[in-house]
């Protein structure tokens, strides 16, 4: 089992460019999440999906969109990247409370 | 939403000593509190958790205590080893939406050999 895999691992964007972070899990979990991690601020929830076909906003959704493509896949899109979106992004999945995280994607917006 | 505060932000101990990290939360209805360990450049991983129906839980050298009245919970690591060096995050699950976790800001633990 690969667990949670996310791509890309690193990405550099210019302000105004768009990109999509991909995430897939093979644990048959219903819930999936996107978090961002910034120094001194812990992990903050951007969006989550409680089940296939549903998505909801977290603490910091502005500037992001998500798609729950099927039970396995949950993508995060930045339509017009801003320097404030420079961060490490983690995808996670869960079924009974424990969060299983991907390896993270380091995004830099210049 | 829930507010979770975590202290200290950095902690340096000598190998073999104990380390204690404390977190407070604001919503008295919260009832699930996990702790995650994140090694440098790695993903966060659950190391221990506690629910509000117990006051303490142990797993080998790691323990978590919960004081519901004071709304705080703590991670205790005994006989620390260099491989315990990492960033530790506490979290509280929202009692109104089980998909929402509120994380503390993290504690960077350095265990000196």
């Amino acid at each position: 089992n690969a667990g949670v895999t996310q791509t890309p691992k690193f990405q550099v964007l210019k302000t105004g460019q768009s990109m999509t972070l991909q995430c897939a899990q093979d644990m048959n979990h219903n819930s999936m999440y996107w978090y961002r991690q910034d120094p001194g601020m812990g992990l903050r929830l951007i969006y989550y999906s409680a089940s296939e076909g549903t998505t909801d906003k977290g603490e910091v959704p502005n500037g992001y969109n998500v798609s729950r493509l099927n039970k396995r896949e949950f993508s995060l899109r930045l339509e017009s990247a801003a320097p404030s979106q420079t961060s490490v992004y983690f995808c996670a999945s869960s079924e009974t409370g424990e969060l299983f995280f991907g390896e993270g994607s380091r995004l830099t917006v210049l | 939403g829930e507010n979770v505060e975590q202290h200290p932000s950095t902690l340096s101990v000598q190998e073999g000593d104990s380390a204690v990290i404390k977190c407070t939360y604001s919503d008295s209805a919260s009832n699930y509190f996990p702790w995650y360990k994140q090694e440098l450049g790695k993903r966060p991983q659950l190391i221990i958790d506690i629910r509000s129906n117990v006051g303490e839980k142990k797993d080998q050298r790691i323990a978590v205590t919960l004081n519901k009245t004071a709304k705080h919970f703590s991670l205790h690591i005994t006989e620390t080893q260099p491989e315990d060096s990492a960033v530790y995050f506490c979290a509280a699950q929202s009692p109104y939406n089980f998909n929402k976790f509120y994380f503390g800001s993290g504690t960077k633990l350095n265990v000196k050999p």
Side-chain angles (χ1 to χ4, degrees), chain B residues 49-90:
Chain B
D49 56 12
I50 191 167
R51 296 189 183 274
S52 59
N53 57 345
V54 298
E56 184 176 7
K57 184 176 179 181
K58 289 184 179 179
D59 183 1
Q60 300 183 335
R61 297 184 298 105
I62 293 174
V64 57
T65 58
L66 172 64
N67 183 325
K68 290 173 59 180
T69 303
K71 292 187 286 186
H72 68 72
F73 55 111
S74 300
L75 178 71
H76 303 254
I77 306 174
T78 58
E79 300 172 19
T80 53
Q81 302 169 2
E83 51 265 38
D84 294 329
S85 295
V87 178
Y88 292 82
F89 293 98
C90 63

Side-chain angles (χ1 to χ4, degrees), chain A residues 60-75:
Chain A
V60 289
N62 291 348
Y64 305 96
N65 285 303
V66 290
S67 296
R68 184 73 182 267
L69 304 169
N70 48 55
K71 193 171 185 179
R72 291 187 63 249
E73 299 172 288
F74 188 39
S75 63

